[in-house]
Amino acid sequence: MTAHEASSSSSSKSKLWKYDVFLSFSGVDTRSGFTGHLYAALTDRGYQAFIDEDDLNTGEEIGNALFRVMEESRIFVVVFSKNYVDSSWCLDELVKIMECRSNLGGHVLPIFYYVDPSDVRNQKGDLAQAFQKHEEVIREEKDDKEREAKRERVRQWRNALTEAADLSGHHFQITGTGHEAKLIREIVDKIITNWLPSTEKLHVAKHQVGINSRMSKLWKYDMFLSFSGVDTRNGFAGLLHTALTDRGYRAFIDEDDLNTGEEIGNALFRVIEDSRIFVVVFSKSYADSSWCLDELVKIMECRSNLGGHVLPIFYYVDPSDVRNQKGDLAQAFQKHEEVILEEKDDKKREAKRERVRQWRNALTEAANLSGHHFQITDTGREAMLIREIVDNIITNWLLSTEKLHVAKHQVGINSQIQDIITYLSSGGLDDVVMVGIWGKGGLGKTTVAKAIYNEIHPMFQFKSFLADIRDNTSKHGLVYLQKTLVSNILKQNSHVSSVAEGTSLIKQGFRHRKVLVIMDDIDEVEQLNAIAGNRDWFGPGSRIIITTRYKHLLKNVDKTYLLQEMNEDEALELFSWHAFGNSRPPEGYLELSRKVVSYCGGLPLTLTVLGSFLFKRAIAEWKNELEKLERSPGEEIKKQFRLSIEGLDDTQKAIFLDISCFFIGWDKDYVTKVLDGCGFFATTGIRVLRERGLVTVEHNELNMHDLVQEMARVIISEKFPGYPGKWSRLWNPQEITDVLTNKSGTGEVEGLALDFSDHWFQTCDMPSFSTEAFASMKKLRLLHLRYVQFTGEYKHLPKELIWLCWRGFLLQSIPDDFFNQPKLVVLDMQSSNLVQVWEGSKSLQKLKIINLSHSLDLEESPDFSQVPNLEELIMEGCESLSEIHPSIGHLKRLSLVNLRNCCSLSSLPRDFFKSKSVEILCLNGCSKLRELHEDLGEMVSLRILEAENTSIKQVPASIARLKKLTRFSLRSG
């Protein structure tokens, strides 16, 4: 746990949800049908949807693991079906879901799947019989206690069903058969529109996306679906169409069900000719329809003459029956033959005979297509088949001509470009769309840009890929870039003498042309202004793509994408291709390879460089190189990261180096207060670091890639290699031990972190040093110690300290000679041996945070009289704490008070309840606390009040005056 994790009761509320959607359903009824399709639709949209993979027996009980999943889910879709209430598991799920709705703000969307909402609300109809069985189980129970527990459980089930069914405006009722595809689309759109704004989505799906054909000069439609409406429009074909369009494809589906005898029209023939891929769903009634069979003839003609791809789907029919017109198809063709025999006109009869012959040939030809059809051999599993169809089309049939060289081994690229291409394809016909791709060096931004170019360039007559703009600008200047762009687009060499002249030429030459321009690796706004200063420079339908390390350069684009690192499997595969020439390591190298990949993370550049370096080397050499890499990154890797770091100003660089050494995994807001105390303007600085991809923030925690961290430490140590006492920051335990032992620290040291907690817990032996070791460290502002003791006078500690975090402090009180600390912002002494923090009052004018949590012997809080700027007081788990100093009531900036599990505390000072600044008060577990004073109503800023498991019996009436109170919990212990 980080230093600040205990400091805010609201931290759990502010974290991101692990799952976007949790699906509750009866597996017997809907797993292989409606729920399976809904799950596929949600995941195809990029949502994190949870579906329990196991069908539980009626009597089984829900487990704690699944309870935790529900608590981490944001939206609950509950599919009420005929057998839902037969399952105790489903009903326990529902109770927990409704609890999460009440306590955690989760959204609940009930779906009534062939059941009446009023039956669910009142447990009537199909549900009555199930509850009759549940009541019988209660009556059969012999143990009084168990019987009462079961009765209470059933009561909770009934209440949850009634509450869920009463949710107005959030349920859908299926009143007729079919139309599931439309309902699923409506559900997903509702979730997208109301509950999961697309701007908040972080998930990147793993499948490549099709290019919207509005951008295509070759095909009007990506896909054409041929099917029997009677059999599959409201089922398989409808769901397949939804999946295709959700992926960004332009898929044609005929909206009208034609009668058997109707003939296909010329308009539909043209649609078929304008389509690139044909998915033919052969079902039981397909051959009954002359329309379907005429479609098929035309489809097979387009396959032969225009190069279209045909994917036959055999939907509960045997391919051999389609091939030979037997089985289900025999009866249909018998009718077609009867129509021929009934024709009196010889010419028409011969034409009909020829038509049937064409039908038979087309069916035989389509059924003989090897490798492109799927047969459903078990009922259900349609969602899986649809996913397989879409992936197969994507993998095998995308345009592949005139491509730039991307990479020798294109691992993981598809997963990076899907969302970007979808967005580029979604703009209007006349829209000029600008997209920015950013991230730290080595992630493969150029590779991704080339891959995107390869996918969409055939749709543009005028196109230009401007490579390595940062380097080319430094070598040749902006005019060179402009001339290159004009030459690529207009196919002419133009005289350009200035940036202004080049800008004018671009405007005049491009404004009526639909262009594709990719600007790779910009690092200055002037580059952007010279090439793509405004959308109106380009013609309707143009697409502009920019890659950079710096997010702030992308302020004027329509959408930005932070490039993701490769996942573990992709990283291992890419590394293996370069290290071994294969997708997997050979025997004996697997574990070594995993270590290298773990060290590199998901950076393609690093994986490529290290894999190439280790190619054909013996295991002994691998081990030696791995040891070197753990000490210092290779020169090529260092070069990439230096470019991102060198552009920082002094303050930003200081923030970067501080985070790399001391604050990875710590709460961003906490660290911001510490660094602001150093005068670093941390909010702005951290934002810049995030924009440059050097720091990430997840769940409000600061993080940094290992290689970036290693590079930071190389920068710190390279001036004085081998002399850590002269480094600005110290983090290595052995080096710090040497510096403290030899008292070799200098005035260069600004931060020091020494953690001996593992050693302490293993041996109960705490290393000891002299406080004199700090005497020369005059600039020391950040000091983090864990289970380390010092002897001597504390006056030797520097007077520049901003942050003192000392876990496991051994003394019973902080010595008086320590307190000449005019700059101290944070005093964090968790798990200490303190009995009292300090004697009397101490002047700590800049102190904002005191954290004394889990100091089990601490009996009283400190005197706050001379700590006027205190904002957070955290004393969680101080079991001996029995007194809070009255001066707490005079703190004008105190916003958080966390006294959880202070089980000896029986009262709080009356003046405290007059505080106008406290926003969060946590008293859970204060089992001896007897009352909340009547003056509670004067705490006008209070938003959260938690007082569970206390001895408080009554809430003062003045609580009604707390207009800002949004969360209040009270329960006696």
Side-chain angles (χ1 to χ4, degrees):
M1 186 172 72
T2 67
H4 201 58
E5 285 176 332
S7 70
S8 174
S9 67
S10 62
S11 62
S12 64
K13 311 297 182 296
S14 63
K15 70 177 182 179
L16 296 177
W17 305 97
K18 185 174 182 180
Y19 297 100
D20 297 312
V21 184
F22 180 97
L23 299 177
S24 177
F25 62 98
S26 165
V28 175
D29 292 338
T30 66
R31 176 183 299 281
S32 298
F34 178 83
T35 303
H37 296 315
L38 176 58
Y39 174 75
L42 289 165
T43 54
D44 283 346
R45 289 285 186 97
Y47 292 111
Q48 291 282 12
F50 180 87
I51 187 170
D52 182 32
E53 295 298 336
D54 301 311
D55 287 319
L56 277 295
N57 296 326
T58 302
E60 294 188 3
E61 295 190 2
I62 195 166
N64 288 332
L66 200 58
F67 273 142
R68 286 193 295 273
V69 169
M70 285 186 268
E71 289 171 353
E72 294 170 341
S73 299
R74 184 175 182 183
I75 294 171
F76 303 93
V77 178
V78 184
V79 184
F80 292 117
S81 59
K82 186 175 182 180
N83 292 303
Y84 186 91
V85 298
D86 289 343
S87 168
S88 303
W89 178 280
C90 288
L91 292 167
D92 283 341
E93 265 188 2
L94 183 64
V95 170
K96 181 66 177 178
I97 285 169
M98 300 313 292
E99 177 187 315
C100 290
R101 176 178 180 266
S102 299
N103 298 340
L104 299 176
H107 297 284
V108 178
L109 182 69
I111 309 296
F112 301 95
Y113 191 78
Y114 300 116
V115 295
D116 193 306
S118 66
D119 288 348
V120 176
R121 184 177 299 111
N122 303 306
Q123 298 92 61
K124 303 294 184 183
D126 291 328
L127 284 75
Q129 186 175 357
F131 269 90
Q132 185 177 341
K133 293 179 181 178
H134 295 316
E135 298 289 350
E136 289 173 0
V137 171
I138 296 173
R139 289 192 292 271
E140 291 170 0
E141 178 58 59
K142 305 300 184 184
D143 185 280
D144 291 344
K145 196 170 182 180
E146 287 292 325
R147 184 167 60 254
E148 188 55 35
K150 288 181 178 179
R151 183 174 287 111
E152 172 61 19
R153 189 182 184 197
V154 170
R155 185 190 64 78
Q156 290 177 342
W157 293 346
R158 289 187 181 275
N159 289 344
L161 287 164
T162 300
E163 184 181 354
D166 278 339
L167 291 176
S168 61
H170 299 302
H171 69 257
F172 299 88
Q173 182 179 5
I174 301 175
T175 56
T177 58
H179 299 291
E180 291 186 8
K182 182 179 179 182
L183 175 60
I184 287 171
R185 173 71 62 82
E186 191 173 353
I187 293 168
V188 175
D189 288 346
K190 181 178 184 65
I191 290 169
I192 291 169
T193 303
N194 297 331
W195 293 335
L196 287 174
S198 59
T199 55
E200 294 178 359
K201 285 166 58 180
L202 300 177
H203 175 71
V204 178
K206 292 186 176 181
H207 307 291
Q208 185 178 11
V209 72
I211 304 161
N212 192 301
S213 62
R214 284 177 291 180
M215 302 173 68
S216 175
K217 66 178 182 180
L218 299 176
W219 313 100
K220 187 174 181 181
Y221 297 97
D222 297 308
M223 254 77 59
F224 180 98
L225 299 183
S226 178
F227 61 95
S228 165
V230 174
D231 292 338
T232 64
R233 175 180 299 283
N234 294 320
F236 181 83
L239 293 164
L240 176 59
H241 179 258
T242 298
L244 291 167
T245 54
D246 281 349
R247 292 290 186 87
Y249 289 107
R250 183 76 182 272
F252 181 89
I253 186 169
D254 181 31
E255 295 298 337
D256 300 311
D257 288 318
L258 277 295
N259 295 326
T260 302
E262 293 186 4
E263 295 189 3
I264 194 167
N266 289 330
L268 199 58
F269 273 140
R270 285 194 295 273
V271 170
I272 294 173
E273 291 170 353
D274 287 338
S275 299
R276 181 180 175 196
I277 295 171
F278 305 94
V279 180
V280 184
V281 184
F282 292 117
S283 59
K284 187 174 181 180
S285 300
Y286 187 91
D288 291 342
S289 168
S290 303
W291 179 280
C292 288
L293 294 168
D294 283 342
E295 267 186 1
L296 183 64
V297 171
K298 182 65 178 177
I299 286 169
M300 300 312 293
E301 177 187 315
C302 288
R303 175 178 181 269
S304 299
N305 300 337
L306 300 177
H309 295 283
V310 178
L311 182 70
I313 308 295
F314 301 94
Y315 191 76
Y316 300 116
V317 294
D318 194 307
S320 65
D321 288 347
V322 176
R323 184 179 299 112
N324 302 306
Q325 298 90 62
K326 302 293 185 183
D328 291 327
L329 282 74
Q331 187 175 357
F333 270 89
Q334 184 177 339
K335 292 180 181 178
H336 295 318
E337 298 289 351
E338 288 173 0
V339 172
I340 296 172
L341 296 175
E342 291 170 359
E343 179 58 57
K344 305 301 182 182
D345 185 284
D346 291 344
K347 197 171 184 179
K348 290 182 178 180
R349 186 169 59 253
E350 187 55 35
K352 289 181 178 180
R353 183 173 285 113
E354 173 60 20
R355 190 182 181 197
V356 170
R357 186 188 63 79
Q358 290 177 341
W359 292 346
R360 289 186 181 276
N361 289 343
L363 286 165
T364 301
E365 184 182 354
N368 280 330
L369 290 176
S370 62
H372 298 301
H373 69 257
F374 301 89
Q375 182 180 4
I376 302 175
T377 55
D378 60 335
T379 58
R381 303 298 177 192
E382 292 182 9
M384 185 184 297
L385 175 60
I386 287 170
R387 179 76 59 86
E388 191 173 353
I389 293 167
V390 175
D391 290 349
N392 185 69
I393 293 167
I394 292 166
T395 303
N396 296 323
W397 292 340
L398 282 177
L399 204 59
S400 59
T401 58
E402 301 180 41
K403 292 185 175 180
L404 296 174
H405 174 71
V406 175
K408 185 177 181 181
H409 306 294
Q410 297 185 31
V411 179
I413 293 175
N414 287 347
S415 63
Q416 296 280 20
I417 67 175
Q418 175 193 335
D419 281 358
I420 304 172
I421 293 181
T422 300
Y423 185 78
L424 290 169
S425 304
S426 65
L429 288 172
D430 296 332
D431 291 342
V432 176
V433 178
M434 299 181 72
V435 164
I437 304 167
W438 70 283
K440 58 178 171 273
L443 273 175
K445 296 182 294 294
T446 300
T447 301
V448 166
K450 288 180 178 180
I452 294 170
Y453 178 90
N454 287 343
E455 291 296 336
I456 67 177
H457 82 86
M459 293 73 186
F460 296 85
Q461 182 180 352
F462 308 103
K463 48 205 168 190
S464 175
F465 187 100
L466 296 174
D468 200 359
I469 287 178
R470 174 181 52 80
D471 190 49
N472 279 313
T473 301
S474 65
K475 290 179 180 177
H476 307 296
L478 293 174
V479 170
Y480 171 84
L481 289 177
Q482 292 177 321
K483 291 171 69 174
T484 303
L485 177 64
V486 170
S487 175
N488 290 342
I489 299 296
L490 302 181
K491 306 300 180 186
Q492 64 184 41
N493 294 320
S494 302
H495 176 74
V496 180
S497 59
S498 68
V499 172
E501 190 177 337
T503 298
S504 179
L505 184 59
I506 291 170
K507 289 180 182 178
Q508 293 172 10
F510 295 4
R511 66 175 56 177
H512 299 301
R513 288 179 166 88
K514 173 186 169 184
V515 302
L516 169 65
V517 178
I518 296 184
M519 302 177 63
D520 179 51
D521 195 17
I522 70 168
D523 66 344
E524 295 177 353
V525 71
E526 289 80 7
Q527 297 158 355
L528 186 58
N529 291 338
I531 299 298
N534 205 310
R535 286 171 182 76
D536 62 15
W537 293 11
F538 307 102
S542 294
R543 299 294 185 261
I544 314 299
I545 302 167
I546 303 159
T547 75
T548 181
R549 288 187 169 111
Y550 312 124
K551 186 181 180 183
H552 72 275
L553 296 177
L554 304 175
K555 290 179 180 177
N556 295 320
V557 303
D558 298 299
K559 196 170 183 68
T560 61
Y561 291 89
L562 172 61
L563 207 59
Q564 303 294 320
E565 296 176 355
M566 303 180 86
N567 64 41
E568 191 172 329
D569 291 338
E570 291 170 340
L572 181 62
E573 182 181 351
L574 180 61
F575 175 80
S576 297
W577 279 115
H578 288 282
F580 310 109
N582 264 305
S583 61
R584 297 284 294 177
E587 187 174 353
Y589 283 87
L590 179 60
E591 288 308 312
L592 282 172
S593 297
R594 289 192 185 279
K595 286 183 180 180
V596 176
V597 168
S598 175
Y599 174 71
C600 295
L603 294 177
L605 170 68
T606 307
L607 294 161
T608 299
V609 170
L610 295 182
S612 300
F613 178 74
L614 293 169
F615 184 63
K616 290 188 176 180
R617 292 178 183 257
I619 288 180
E621 292 180 90
W622 273 60
K623 291 180 177 179
N624 288 337
E625 292 303 328
L626 189 56
E627 289 177 7
K628 292 179 184 178
L629 286 169
E630 289 170 349
R631 289 197 296 269
S632 176
E635 289 302 315
E636 180 61 26
I637 301 168
K638 288 195 289 185
K639 177 183 173 184
Q640 293 296 323
F641 292 116
R642 275 194 184 277
L643 290 171
S644 289
I645 297 167
E646 285 172 357
L648 301 172
D649 65 28
D650 290 344
T651 298
Q652 293 161 358
K653 188 176 288 187
I655 294 171
F656 169 67
L657 296 177
D658 283 347
I659 292 173
S660 70
C661 293
F662 309 123
F663 295 119
I664 293 176
W666 290 67
D667 181 89
K668 177 175 71 70
D669 299 330
Y670 176 89
V671 176
T672 296
K673 288 184 179 180
V674 174
L675 298 181
D676 279 346
C678 300
F680 287 170
F681 307 102
T683 299
T684 301
I686 291 173
R687 176 179 58 78
V688 171
L689 297 180
R690 293 178 71 182
E691 288 175 349
R692 300 198 176 193
L694 296 172
V695 166
T696 60
V697 178
E698 298 179 43
H699 308 300
N700 213 47
E701 289 183 0
L702 293 167
N703 286 289
M704 182 181 293
H705 191 277
D706 292 344
L707 288 176
V708 179
Q709 182 185 39
E710 186 65 31
M711 176 53 57
R713 294 176 174 183
V714 168
I715 290 171
I716 291 168
S717 62
E718 63 187 355
K719 280 189 178 180
F720 301 102
Y723 296 94
K726 296 182 178 182
W727 297 351
S728 64
R729 294 155 182 85
L730 299 173
W731 63 89
N732 181 278
Q734 185 56 56
E735 290 168 344
I736 295 173
T737 298
D738 292 342
V739 168
L740 294 177
T741 301
N742 300 323
K743 302 175 185 176
S744 57
T746 69
E748 297 298 317
V749 180
E750 298 178 36
L752 182 152
L754 181 59
D755 182 356
F756 273 116
S757 55
D758 289 342
H759 178 78
W760 164 251
F761 290 125
Q762 289 173 12
T763 66
C764 293
D765 179 28
M766 191 176 292
S768 179
F769 305 95
S770 170
T771 56
E772 293 181 9
F774 292 111
S776 297
M777 301 184 196
K778 303 297 185 182
K779 294 182 182 178
L780 188 69
R781 52 188 173 80
L782 306 175
L783 180 58
H784 184 191
L785 303 170
R786 293 174 69 95
Y787 298 93
V788 181
Q789 61 179 324
F790 284 85
T791 59
E793 296 177 304
Y794 278 67
K795 67 180 182 180
H796 295 301
L797 267 69
K799 304 303 181 282
E800 298 291 316
L801 279 180
I802 306 294
W803 178 55
L804 176 60
C805 181
W806 195 335
R807 309 287 175 86
F809 184 71
L810 280 184
L811 303 183
Q812 295 185 350
S813 180
I814 301 174
D816 285 345
D817 59 351
F818 165 78
F819 285 102
N820 185 12
Q821 293 292 341
K823 297 184 178 182
L824 192 66
V825 173
V826 177
L827 179 64
D828 185 337
M829 305 192 82
Q830 298 181 55
S831 302
S832 71
N833 284 0
L834 290 171
V835 176
Q836 66 173 13
V837 185
W838 56 68
E839 288 189 16
S841 65
K842 305 298 179 185
S843 179
L844 295 165
Q845 296 294 312
K846 292 193 175 182
L847 191 63
K848 292 184 178 182
I849 299 174
I850 296 177
N851 192 339
L852 304 168
S853 296
H854 309 295
S855 296
L856 303 182
D857 298 325
L858 185 64
E859 297 176 355
E860 60 184 11
S861 78
D863 183 337
F864 304 105
S865 301
Q866 298 189 68
V867 193
N869 292 302
L870 191 66
E871 296 176 4
E872 300 184 13
L873 176 63
I874 306 139
M875 305 181 76
E876 180 175 348
C878 294
E879 296 179 355
S880 301
L881 183 71
S882 60
E883 182 180 350
I884 302 294
H885 197 276
S887 58
I888 192 174
H890 304 294
L891 296 172
K892 304 301 184 185
R893 298 190 177 186
L894 186 64
S895 62
L896 168 69
V897 177
N898 182 355
L899 299 171
R900 284 195 194 100
N901 298 320
C902 293
C903 51
S904 299
L905 188 65
S906 60
S907 64
L908 295 172
R910 177 172 179 175
D911 283 351
F912 172 70
F913 291 99
K914 297 179 181 180
S915 171
K916 301 294 189 289
S917 60
V918 173
E919 298 179 15
I920 301 172
L921 175 57
C922 307
L923 302 171
N924 289 346
C926 295
S927 54
K928 292 185 178 180
L929 190 64
R930 297 185 299 272
E931 67 173 358
L932 295 171
H933 197 274
E934 180 61 36
D935 290 338
L936 176 68
E938 296 187 34
M939 301 182 76
V940 293
S941 297
L942 196 62
R943 296 185 293 106
I944 297 173
L945 173 57
E946 296 181 342
E948 297 185 5
N949 299 317
T950 67
S951 296
I952 299 170
K953 304 298 183 183
Q954 188 173 348
V955 178
S958 64
I959 195 172
R961 301 205 305 267
L962 300 179
K963 304 302 182 184
K964 293 185 178 180
L965 192 64
T966 58
R967 177 180 172 83
F968 172 57
S969 59
L970 175 66
R971 185 173 64 218
S972 297

